[in-house]
Amino acid sequence: MTHPTIRDPADVVFFPEPPPGATAQQYRTGAHELPCFVLRSGTLAVDLLDDPHRVRFTFECLVQPAGVPGTADEFVAEEWTYDIPAVEGEVSGVHAWDTAGTLETTLEPAEARATRLRVRFRRRLGAGGQYRFGYAYEARGGTAVTAGIFKRTVVCTGWLIFNLPCEVIRVCIRLPPHARLMSSTPPGTVTDASPGRTQVHYDLERLRALEVSQWMVGYRQRKVGLPLWLWIVSQLGAGLVGWLIGRAMDGWLAHG
């Protein structure tokens, strides 16, 4: 969950992702709308990695205060705070940026088994202005894995809920290399991100504050690591042992 830290303290948060075990309805119950900011546009790239339990998330945001300069409803944002639904040791590869370069980030413990990521803005964001920035991290994803001998089937799910109005959110989910897409919800547009890698992307437009959007992808991937080679060696070894036993039995019968 993320929110811009404003000069006048207020209970405002921005929720791109749930903490472990939470439901969309529980989030809606505990959240408040944030009418003083608008997300003009945003992108979320979800990179599913070769390790099916690890996911890399990349957010890019264009945020703008909704207040009028010089009035009582003017707010000033100084940083963006995001609660990652994982303990600090499970989060890696954190960085943030804007058009001028790298932004300062800090990680600290938060409630409900979450890690709080703070992204410090390069400048204060006041009414009448806008600010484009991004941040990324790798953490454990919401996946279910069914393992076979040669292949594994993976289902990855997630949902988004924002407590500020969002004009458009572009979501792109990239499958691991050489994975075959089985299903996706919403269906989206399927393209090749690079040779051997499939991606599903779709747009969410005119989201109201606290409106829920869910997504799910299922894919099948060939297992090419050590377990497969161990299985091949074991099968060859079993065949060799069977052949030797057969030759020994033939020799025993011939001399019987």
Side-chain angles (χ1 to χ4, degrees):
M1 54 185 168
T2 310
H3 71 272
T5 300
I6 59 179
R7 184 172 57 195
D8 299 323
D11 185 14
V12 292
V13 285
F14 167 80
F15 296 99
E17 216 176 332
T23 65
Q25 185 56 44
Q26 288 172 336
Y27 249 49
R28 289 173 61 90
T29 301
H32 302 281
E33 294 187 18
L34 179 56
C36 52
F37 287 90
V38 176
L39 190 63
R40 293 299 182 191
S41 66
T43 63
L44 166 60
V46 182
D47 285 282
L48 308 181
L49 307 178
D50 280 327
D51 180 349
H53 298 290
R54 301 288 294 180
V55 181
R56 182 156 188 83
F57 300 91
T58 303
F59 293 90
E60 292 189 0
C61 306
L62 177 62
V63 66
Q64 178 178 344
V68 178
T71 63
D73 62 348
E74 179 181 3
F75 292 92
V76 176
E78 298 179 337
E79 65 178 13
W80 195 258
T81 303
Y82 175 61
D83 284 356
I84 302 171
V87 296
E88 186 174 352
E90 299 175 346
V91 180
S92 62
V94 176
H95 71 286
W97 62 92
D98 64 4
T99 55
T102 302
L103 296 176
E104 178 185 351
T105 62
T106 57
L107 287 175
E108 58 188 41
E111 298 179 358
R113 285 182 48 82
T115 299
R116 180 158 296 166
L117 167 63
R118 295 184 180 275
V119 179
R120 185 74 177 181
F121 290 169
R122 193 174 304 276
R123 57 179 175 80
R124 283 188 171 189
L125 175 61
Q130 60 183 18
Y131 190 58
R132 187 183 300 274
F133 66 99
Y135 55 97
Y137 67 93
E138 181 181 322
R140 187 176 181 86
T143 55
V145 182
T146 302
I149 296 177
F150 292 103
K151 299 180 180 179
R152 61 186 170 210
T153 302
V154 181
V155 176
C156 186
T157 61
W159 50 267
L160 306 175
I161 179 171
F162 304 86
N163 67 340
L164 72 168
C166 306
E167 293 185 353
V168 60
I169 304 293
R170 294 180 171 87
V171 181
C172 178
I173 304 171
R174 302 187 185 100
L175 272 58
H178 309 294
R180 182 170 65 86
L181 180 67
M182 298 174 59
S183 63
S184 66
T185 304
T189 302
V190 181
T191 61
D192 290 329
S194 60
R197 190 164 191 188
T198 302
Q199 66 181 12
V200 181
H201 50 91
Y202 60 92
D203 291 348
L204 303 172
E205 298 181 346
R206 295 181 293 277
L207 291 178
R208 301 182 303 274
L210 303 181
E211 182 176 353
V212 180
S213 174
Q214 296 177 306
W215 59 268
M216 178 185 71
V217 294
Y219 65 89
R220 187 165 292 163
Q221 186 181 31
R222 182 179 301 173
K223 297 168 63 178
V224 295
L226 183 61
L228 174 59
W229 290 108
L230 286 177
W231 182 85
I232 293 175
V233 170
S234 67
Q235 296 303 303
L236 291 175
L240 178 61
V241 171
W243 179 79
L244 292 174
I245 292 176
R247 289 297 299 271
M249 291 296 293
D250 290 342
W252 181 75
L253 292 174
H255 293 84

